[in-house]
Amino acid sequence: MEKLGLNELRERFLKFFESKGHLRLPSFSLIPQNDPSLLLINSGMAPLKPYFTGQEEPPRRRVTTCQKCIRTPDIENVGKTARHGTFFEMLGNFSFGDYFKNEAIPWAWEFFTEDLKIPVERLWVSIYEDDDEAFEIWNKKVGLPPERIVRMGKDNNFWEHGTGPCGPCSEIYFDRGEDKGCGKPDCKVGCDCDRFIEVWNLVFTQFNKEEDGSYSRLKNPNIDTGMGLERLACVMQDVNNLFEVDTIRRVLDYICKITGVEYGSSEKTDVSIRVITDHIRSTTMMISDGVIPSNEGRGYVLRRLLRRAARHGKLLGMDRPFLSDVASVVIEESKGAYPELAERAENIKKVIRIEEEKFEETIDQGLVILSKYIEETRKKGEKVISGDVVFELHGTYGFPVDLTREIAEENGLGVDEEGFREKMKEHQNLAREDYQSKQGSAWGDDIYSKLDKSVKTEFLGYTESEATARVLYIIKEDQVVDEAQKGDSVTVILDRTPFYAESGGQVGDKGLIEAEGARVKVLDCKKTNDGKYLHIGEIEEGTLRNGMEVKATIDKKRRMAIARNHTTTHLLHKALRNVLGSHVNQAGSLVEPDRLRFDFTHFSAMTPEEIKSVEDQVNEKILESIAVDIREMSIDEARKMGATALFGEKYGDVVRVVKIGDYSIELCGGTHLNVTSQAGFIKIVSESGVASGVRRIEALTGEAALKHFDEEEKLLRDIAQVLKTNPSDSVKRIESLLNEIKAAQKEIEQLRSKLVSSSLDDVLAKAVEINGVKVVTARFDQFDMEALRNTGDTIRNKLGSGVVVLGTGFGGKVSLVVMATKDVVAKGIHAGNIIKEAAKVAGGGGGGRPDMAQAGGKDVSKIDEALKQAVKVIESQLAG
C-alpha cells in the first residue's frame, strides 16, 4: 500500500470519478448560498441540496467534488484529543437520478483496491440490516465474503433528517490491525476500540419520509457519498490521527519551530499546538471565502477560532502576533487545490494580523480580570464563575464564552452559561428597544390593521413620473377621514402611484397630488407590508376627499438625483470588491438626492490610495456610458446569471435584476439611470468605521459633487487670499509659516528657560523643612503641563534631596506636579498619594509613582489652596 500525500489523494479521487463520467466541480464557498439553515458549509452534499431536491437543474447528473467544510459543535474538544478538528475536506461522488447502488458500490471498491491498492483483506463494510440489495452487490458482484459484510440498525446505517429524501447507507471500514484493537476474539466492525476505522459512507437516497412517518420510494433515487480526505490520508500514510498527515504535520512542525516547543514532550503543550494547527487551517479557509471577524454569525465563529488560537500561542510563550505567519504555511500546502488561497494571501494574512493585534490589546487586561474573579470565586468556596462576569469579559474584553469556560476549567471551575445567556438576551432586548424607540413612524400599526387587506397600490414609478389615480383612504391624526382641508397633515393612499416608497436604502419620492380645487404637497412616501403606498404630506390648497380622481406627480429632478446615487452604489460595490477583495459585501446603504452612503464589510480603514483607486474605477465606468439593463425574472434565472443578492434580504419568486454591462449585476428594487454617464462623476468625501468589521463610505454625484468642488475651490481661494499668495502656492506658503512658527516657539522656550533659571534661586530660597526634608512649592501660570514637568525636574535636581510641588493655571486649566528624590521616598514620601489629595481641592484627580505624579483640576482659583494641601499630606507622611 503506497503512502500517498493528502494532495495526491484528493487528485486521485477526483480523476477516478471523472473517468466514470462525473463532472468535477470546484469546492463551493464555505459561506452557504441561499441556505439560511446553515452558518457555514458542513458537509459535501450541503451546497448540492438544490440539485437533490430538484429546485435547480444540476450541470450534469454525475458530479464529484472535494468540499471544504467547517464544523464547530465539538470546538472544546479540539486539541484535547488528536481526533477532533473544525476544518476538513470531504470527498464525494453524487448521482442526481442517474446511477445507483449497482454502480456506486463497485466503483468505491475499485477505487480502494485497484487505484489506491488497499489490501482487500483489510477492508470491511457495513450495510443497513434490511438492505438485501446492497448485500447482494457486495457479496455477488464485488465478491466480498458474507462474514465481512456487517448488518447494522437504523442508528448506524440509515440516513434521514426529518421528513423528505432519505435512505440506507453502506460504510467501508479499514482494519488497522490487531495491535490497535481490544484483543477480544469477536472484535469486528462496530466494536468501540480503535481497530476498525470508518472511511467512506455511501448513502442510497431511495425513499421519501412522509409526515405520518411512512416511507415511499423515490421515482429517481440518488447517490450521495462522503469520505473525509484527512481520514483517508491517515489510512494511506499509516498515521494515528489527522495531525500526523503530511500537509497538516508541516503546519504543526512550523508552529513548533517558531515557538521552540517540541511536539510530544508534554500533553499540555501538545493541546495548544493542536488547537493552533486546526484553527489556523479553518480561519485561513474561512477568510479566503469572504468571512471576516465580527460579533455575530459566521464572523463570530471566525473570531472565536482566531482568539482561541492566539491565546494558546500565549500559553506556548508567544509574546507577539504570529498566526499570519502560520497561515502562510497553510496557503502553501493547499494552494494547488484552492488557487484562491494564493490569490488572496495578503488579504488573508492582513485580516488575521489585525484581529490578533486587536485581541492582543485586550487579552492581557482581560486575563488579569478573569484571574481576579477566579481567585474571588475560590475564596467564596464556589465552583462556578457567575454569568455577570462571563458577560463582562465578553462585552468589554472580547472573550468568547468558550474561552472563559476553557480557562475556568483549567482552574477547576465552571461557568454560569445560563446566566450569561440571560444577560446577553437582556442586552439584546435593550438594544432592540432602543432601536425601535428611535425609529420614527409616519403611521400607526393600529390604524392600518383596520384597513382592507386586499387593497393594494399599483406602482408605476419605474416607467412613469406622473399618473392619474383615485384616493382610497385619507388618514389624519391616526384616524381614517372622508376629507381634509388646507393646512392638515395627512397620509393619502391611492389605487396607483408613480411615487417610489422608501425601501432597500432608497428614500421615498416627494412631489404633488393634485385635483380640482385641492393640492397636497407630498413630503415622503412609504409602504405597508401588504402593499399600500402611503403618501405623507400636507394639504396646501382646497379640500381633499375620498374617491377623488387626482394627478400624482413626482419631483423628477429629485428622483434623477436619487437615481444617480443609486446606480453609483452598484458601481461602488463592485469597485470595492475589485480593490479590497471578494470578502467585501454590502452591509447597508442610504440613497438620497444629495448624497449616497454605503456600508460594507471590511476589516480595516481604507488607505488614501485604496479610496482613490475605487473612486477612479467608478468614474471610469461612469465615463464609459454603460447602458443600465433592468429586467424582471425568476429568482433561479437571476442566480444563474450570477446576480449578487444582499445577505439577509428576502426575495420573492420574481426579482428585478439591474445589470450594468459586464461590470455589475445585482438584485435591486430601486430606481436607476438609463446609462452610467448620467451620474456625471463620483466624489468620495469620507470613509469611516461604523461597527466591528463594517466600514462606511459617503459620496456625492451629479450636482451635489459639482457643488462640493465649487465649495472646495472657494475655500482654497479664501485661504490663498488670507495667505496673500496664489492658490497654487498656498502649500509652500503654509510650510514657510509653519517653519517661522516653529522657530518662534523655540525662541519662546529658550526665553522661558532663562526666565525660570533666573527665578529658581528665589524659589529654592523659599523652601521649607519638614522633619528634615526640604519641600519646595511654587506656581508658574505661564507654563503648560510639559513645561511644568521640565521645571520640576530642574528644581528637583538643584534641590538634591526633597519634595517639589508645582502648580499652573495655564489656559484656564489646573495642572499639578509632585516630584520627590529617591532618599525621601525611602522615608515614606509618596508623590502619587500627595497629588491625589491636592487635586481634590481643585476639583480634579490624578495619581502616579512614589517619585513622580501629576494631576489636573477644574478650579483655577483653588491652586494655592491645593499647594497648601500638598504640604499637609507631606507632613502626615513624614509624621507616620
Side-chain angles (χ1 to χ4, degrees), residues 572-586 644:
L572 180 62
H573 189 187
K574 180 63 175 177
L576 284 165
R577 288 175 68 86
N578 288 345
V579 172
L580 301 179
S582 59
H583 63 280
V584 169
N585 284 298
Q586 183 173 336
T644 301

Side-chain angles (χ1 to χ4, degrees), residues 569-672:
T569 62
H570 286 222
L571 297 174
L572 180 62
H573 189 187
K574 180 63 175 177
L576 284 165
R577 288 175 68 86
N578 288 345
V579 172
L580 301 179
S582 59
H583 63 280
V584 169
N585 284 298
Q586 183 173 336
S589 69
L590 177 64
V591 182
E592 297 180 309
D594 56 350
R595 65 169 179 151
L596 69 87
R597 189 180 78 202
F598 190 79
D599 295 346
F600 58 99
T601 54
H602 189 51
F603 44 82
S604 63
M606 291 176 67
T607 65
E609 293 76 20
E610 287 170 339
I611 294 171
K612 184 70 166 62
S613 180
V614 168
E615 189 176 86
D616 288 348
Q617 193 173 129
V618 175
N619 279 323
E620 181 184 323
K621 295 304 170 185
I622 289 172
L623 291 173
E624 284 178 16
S625 198
I626 305 168
V628 180
D629 180 19
I630 302 175
R631 302 179 195 174
E632 287 191 347
M633 60 185 71
S634 71
I635 185 73
D636 290 337
E637 286 178 291
R639 285 175 185 148
K640 286 174 184 174
M641 284 180 68
T644 301
L646 299 187
F647 183 73
E649 284 285 323
K650 293 180 181 178
Y651 297 100
D653 293 333
V654 177
V655 295
R656 200 159 169 271
V657 177
V658 178
K659 186 173 184 289
I660 306 174
D662 295 326
Y663 186 71
S664 168
I665 177 168
E666 292 190 24
L667 303 185
C668 181
T671 61
H672 288 272

Side-chain angles (χ1 to χ4, degrees), residues 14-276:
L14 295 172
K15 275 188 174 176
F16 176 83
F17 280 101
E18 281 183 308
S19 74
K20 304 298 183 186
H22 290 63
L23 172 67
R24 181 200 295 213
L25 292 178
S27 174
F28 291 80
S29 168
L30 284 165
I31 300 176
Q33 300 300 308
N34 307 304
D35 187 352
S37 66
L38 290 176
L39 266 186
L40 293 157
I41 292 298
N42 60 6
S43 68
M45 67 82 64
L48 303 174
K49 275 196 277 187
Y51 303 149
F52 281 112
T53 60
Q55 288 176 303
E56 294 182 22
E57 187 72 25
R60 196 180 295 176
R61 292 175 72 190
R62 297 181 181 186
V63 164
T64 184
T65 64
C66 181
Q67 177 61 46
K68 297 175 288 187
C69 302
I70 297 280
R71 289 183 189 169
T72 57
D74 295 326
I75 188 172
E76 287 83 8
N77 289 321
V78 174
K80 293 178 183 175
T81 74
R83 297 189 307 276
H84 289 88
T86 58
F87 173 77
F88 60 96
E89 298 176 64
M90 186 62 79
L91 300 167
N93 58 290
F94 308 94
S95 165
F96 308 112
D98 185 17
Y99 63 84
F100 202 49
K101 295 178 192 177
N102 267 311
E103 294 81 14
I105 290 173
W107 285 343
W109 189 253
E110 180 187 343
F111 178 67
F112 268 0
T113 60
E114 296 182 27
D115 197 295
L116 298 185
K117 295 183 170 46
I118 297 176
V120 171
E121 64 272 13
R122 302 193 73 170
L123 295 174
W124 292 62
V125 301
S126 67
I127 61 171
Y128 177 51
E129 56 191 358
D130 295 335
D131 194 354
D132 294 333
E133 182 185 8
F135 180 87
E136 288 294 311
I137 296 169
W138 278 117
N139 180 230
K140 299 286 181 7
K141 194 166 185 176
V142 171
L144 201 61
E147 62 270 18
R148 301 263 291 283
I149 306 169
V150 181
R151 292 180 184 262
M152 291 188 173
K154 209 169 187 181
D155 288 346
N156 292 299
N157 281 69
F158 195 94
W159 185 89
E160 65 181 349
H161 188 73
T163 57
C166 59
C169 57
S170 179
E171 298 176 334
I172 305 177
Y173 289 79
F174 178 78
D175 182 357
R176 298 176 67 217
E178 287 186 23
D179 59 318
K180 301 291 193 301
C182 56
K184 296 176 184 175
D186 60 344
C187 181
K188 62 177 181 179
V189 169
C191 185
D192 290 334
C193 71
D194 292 333
R195 177 174 174 178
F196 297 94
I197 177 174
E198 177 221 323
V199 185
W200 200 347
N201 188 12
L202 316 178
V203 179
F204 313 124
T205 312
Q206 64 190 84
F207 300 113
N208 192 72
K209 187 175 183 181
E210 309 295 344
E211 293 287 347
D212 62 3
S214 62
Y215 297 90
S216 59
R217 281 196 170 269
L218 291 174
K219 183 180 178 182
N220 295 309
N222 302 313
I223 289 292
D224 161 23
T225 84
M227 173 162 56
L229 176 58
E230 292 85 355
R231 186 169 292 191
L232 175 62
C234 286
V235 168
M236 297 305 297
Q237 295 175 25
D238 192 25
V239 295
N240 290 321
N241 60 72
L242 68 93
F243 294 98
E244 296 177 25
V245 169
D246 61 334
T247 56
I248 304 170
R249 181 67 198 224
R250 282 193 275 275
V251 177
L252 184 147
D253 287 343
Y254 181 77
I255 294 165
C256 292
K257 178 183 173 183
I258 62 175
T259 58
V261 178
E262 182 183 354
Y263 187 62
S265 61
S266 156
E267 179 56 28
K268 186 176 181 181
T269 56
D270 283 358
V271 168
S272 293
I273 293 168
R274 288 193 292 260
V275 166
I276 299 167

